[in-house]
Amino acid sequence: VFSRFLSRRAITAPMVFLIVGWLVGPDGLSLLDIGFEESGVRLLAEATLVVVLFADATRIDLMVLRRQFQMPGRLLGIGLPLTIAIGGLLAAWLVPGVSAAEGFLIGALLAPTDAALGKAVITNRAIPVRVRQVLNVESGLNDGIALPVVTALVAVAAAGADLETPAYWVRFALREIGLGVTLGAAVGALGGMAVHASWNRDWVTGASRQIVTLAVAATAFSSAELATGNGFIAAFVAGIAFRAATRMMHDSAADLTEDVGELATWMTFLFFGVGLAVPAVTEASVGTVVYVVLSLTVVRMIPVALALFGTHCAPATAAFLGWFGPRGLASILFALLIVDEANLMSETTILNTVSLAVLASVFLHGATARKGSDLYAARTAEMEAEMPEMQAVTMLPESRRGGWFSGWHRRGR
């Protein structure tokens, strides 16, 4: 009801639902006492991650991306590994009670970015298209790229905890990643070809096409899980294969999928406020707080600056891209669904650390998105047209997730 009013005041949907969750939870009015250990909430978390990974992947146009992959490729190929490495080293040093492997796991869990938490940045037309494209592509791809790394690090951490032999966990990681990629590609390609063929023959209605697209995501996840692979990796790969198989003729086919992901995301932040926000704050040590501050600043900003070295981008661009890398939904869900499966010794510490970082990011990045993007836009207005960040590129489709509070009303005018 108040979405336009709130968006003008730098108040995002995750902020609202997180606060409401805290208010109705056991640390507020005690109207709702349900945690992520409940089967229904865990099912919601799993479904949210599947839908979001698939929907993000369907926005990746491989043909367009291949022509303009230099800057996003640097952030993903150089910045992301450095972020995991630096974040892992600092976590192992600063977060009490975690092993070296668990420290790197924390670094990997907090490496993916969530553009939906700073939607005002992506939708600000005064910012050069190439810069918005970089953030758009990075946030769309880094969840899926980080997921195999997280899976492997969970295996390493579990092996270090003597839960199974190291050889077992190596086989586990290879099986999870290999089957996830293979089955995801197969289901996504077959589903995409089926949608494309039936649409051309006028065999399917628009509404049914939306449901079929959502079913492809669910089928990819389920088939990989039944085959003892990683269903989340399968969902992400299926999204890429689905878009390629539909030959880019169905940009709106995933609208329902993204809207379902939007609703599920808000519900996830609601339950995050109910069960995780307060423990993350009250149980935080000094070392954990220091780590979270560093994770949201230098742990990302230094790798981004190094990744952009040699591109001749302005320092303001490196600072802008470095700051607007909010941690959000993927970090929460990875921590909940992957760490918990391995039954690690420090799983509570890991979950609280990730939760504190996401909590801080929701408010810091959400509150600074509009003002920060306006300041950067004013800076780029003074740049020469020959600067790298000012070069024209084809903008990939933006995610609808996060857009109802900040952009949906504009499309409906």
Side-chain angles (χ1 to χ4, degrees):
V1 174
F2 300 104
S3 59
R4 184 181 300 181
F5 173 84
L6 294 173
S7 66
R8 289 172 175 170
R9 286 150 182 82
I11 299 175
T12 65
M15 288 183 191
V16 173
F17 279 83
L18 200 156
I19 292 173
V20 170
W22 169 72
L23 285 174
V24 303
D27 298 293
L29 300 175
S30 297
L31 301 177
L32 182 64
D33 187 4
I34 184 170
F36 275 97
E37 68 277 1
E38 301 287 341
S39 59
V41 179
R42 289 182 60 81
L43 178 61
L44 170 68
E46 289 187 2
T48 302
L49 185 55
V50 169
V51 171
V52 167
L53 287 170
F54 181 87
D56 283 351
T58 60
R59 293 186 291 108
I60 303 302
D61 186 332
L62 296 178
M63 299 294 290
V64 173
L65 190 60
R66 185 166 53 186
R67 296 194 299 268
Q68 51 196 41
F69 194 62
Q70 182 189 15
M71 286 179 66
R74 281 173 169 266
L75 290 186
L76 293 167
I78 300 174
L80 183 62
L82 285 177
T83 299
I84 294 173
I86 297 173
L89 288 171
L90 288 174
W93 176 38
L94 292 171
V95 180
V98 301
S99 65
E102 290 170 335
F104 280 99
L105 179 57
I106 293 173
L109 291 170
L110 288 174
T113 58
D114 189 348
L117 296 186
K119 189 72 175 179
V121 174
I122 303 295
T123 58
N124 189 337
R125 301 296 189 237
I127 294 176
V129 174
R130 192 176 191 186
V131 176
R132 291 188 284 121
Q133 176 82 300
V134 168
L135 291 172
N136 190 26
V137 172
E138 182 196 16
S139 66
L141 285 176
N142 59 14
D143 295 355
I145 293 173
L147 185 51
V149 179
V150 170
T151 301
L153 287 172
V154 168
V156 172
D162 296 326
L163 299 176
E164 290 285 355
T165 64
Y168 168 85
W169 288 109
V170 170
R171 292 194 300 271
F172 169 82
L174 292 176
R175 183 182 71 244
E176 288 254 312
I177 296 170
L179 287 174
V181 170
T182 302
L183 291 172
V187 172
L190 290 173
M193 287 187 289
V195 168
H196 185 71
S198 63
W199 184 258
N200 283 345
R201 290 167 175 78
D202 199 25
W203 291 350
V204 61
T205 65
S208 295
R209 182 187 60 164
Q210 296 286 331
I211 295 172
V212 169
T213 302
L214 185 59
V216 171
T219 303
F221 172 80
S222 302
S223 60
E225 290 291 317
L226 289 171
T228 67
N230 190 297
F232 302 108
I233 293 175
F236 181 77
V237 175
I240 297 176
F242 179 86
R243 181 176 179 87
T246 56
R247 305 177 191 178
M248 316 308 171
M249 295 178 63
H250 303 275
D251 284 337
S252 64
D255 282 357
L256 174 63
T257 302
E258 292 210 41
D259 288 344
V260 169
E262 175 85 333
L263 177 60
T265 296
W266 290 358
M267 294 302 297
T268 301
F269 275 107
L270 177 75
F271 288 118
F272 177 73
V274 171
L276 294 180
V278 171
V281 174
T282 58
E283 298 176 19
S285 65
V286 174
T288 302
V289 173
V290 172
Y291 173 73
V292 167
V293 172
L294 294 176
S295 177
L296 297 181
T297 53
V298 298
V299 169
R300 173 171 167 84
M301 298 179 82
I302 291 176
V304 167
L306 292 174
L308 294 180
F309 182 77
T311 63
H312 306 294
C313 287
T317 299
F320 181 76
L321 293 175
W323 171 244
F324 284 109
R327 284 27 165 232
L329 184 70
S331 295
I332 298 172
L333 298 178
F334 286 176
L336 284 169
L337 303 176
I338 298 175
V339 176
D340 186 56
E341 287 181 4
N343 195 28
L344 300 176
M345 299 298 293
S346 302
E347 68 176 36
T348 301
T349 301
I350 293 171
L351 184 57
N352 284 341
T353 302
V354 172
S355 298
L356 184 62
V358 172
L359 181 64
S361 183
V362 165
F363 289 95
L364 290 175
H365 289 107
T368 58
R370 185 170 298 279
K371 183 64 175 178
S373 60
D374 288 342
L375 290 173
Y376 177 69
R379 175 67 183 87
T380 58
E382 302 172 355
M383 292 183 182
E384 299 292 335
E386 293 76 19
M387 292 291 288
E389 50 266 73
M390 304 300 291
Q391 301 303 307
V393 295
T394 302
M395 189 69 177
L396 292 174
E398 297 173 1
S399 173
R400 289 157 62 92
R401 187 168 58 88
W404 281 48
F405 258 49
S406 57
W408 178 82
H409 58 270
R410 289 193 294 273
R411 293 196 296 271
R413 277 195 220 175

